[in-house]
Amino acid sequence: DIDPAAVELARQNAKLAGVGERCRFEVADVQAFAPPAEATVLTNPPYGERLGDLDTAARLAGVLGKRLQVCPAAGAYIITADADFEAHFGKKANRKRKLYNGMIPCQVYMYF
């Protein structure tokens, strides 16, 4: 995330969940994202519902998809309300699971 406060909140929540030592959080721009090949990427990027707008969210999904093509990870799990996420990301998910993020209907797009 580019927001240091959001990264710190995620770090604190992971610690409270008992998984803090297994997670790595960074303040960074997605355009420079390069996860290690053995990493599992979990992300809940802005998707225009609460933060930003739909066009910005679609562009962000596209950049994330391109970065994961250049630097593939062991897996990627993306939570979003964007019904067109796969088109924006540039790849069809291996699996999808419906869920709610607060009161917002979302899906987890799973890439293995």
Side-chain angles (χ1 to χ4, degrees):
D1 200 303
I2 59 171
D3 181 356
V7 171
E8 184 54 34
L9 182 61
R11 187 176 286 121
Q12 290 173 10
N13 286 333
K15 185 177 179 181
L16 287 171
V19 296
E21 68 283 348
R22 299 188 65 187
C23 299
R24 185 173 131 205
F25 301 93
E26 294 181 25
V27 177
D29 190 309
V30 71
Q31 293 183 33
F33 183 59
E38 68 277 3
T40 299
V41 176
L42 307 167
T43 186
N44 179 13
Y47 38 85
E49 291 287 329
R50 295 177 297 114
L51 302 169
D53 60 69
L54 296 175
D55 289 336
T56 301
R59 283 193 302 277
L60 179 67
V63 171
L64 179 59
K66 288 176 185 163
R67 294 304 306 153
L68 286 172
Q69 282 180 334
V70 172
C71 301
Y77 300 79
I78 299 112
I79 301 169
T80 182
D82 180 1
D84 296 321
F85 175 79
E86 291 168 307
H88 299 144
F89 186 74
K91 185 176 179 184
K92 186 170 171 44
N94 297 98
R95 275 188 87 188
K96 295 182 270 188
R97 171 88 53 200
K98 293 180 183 180
L99 56 80
Y100 281 85
N101 186 4
M103 297 301 291
I104 302 169
C106 295
Q107 290 207 52
V108 178
Y109 291 87
M110 301 175 216
Y111 297 88
F112 314 120

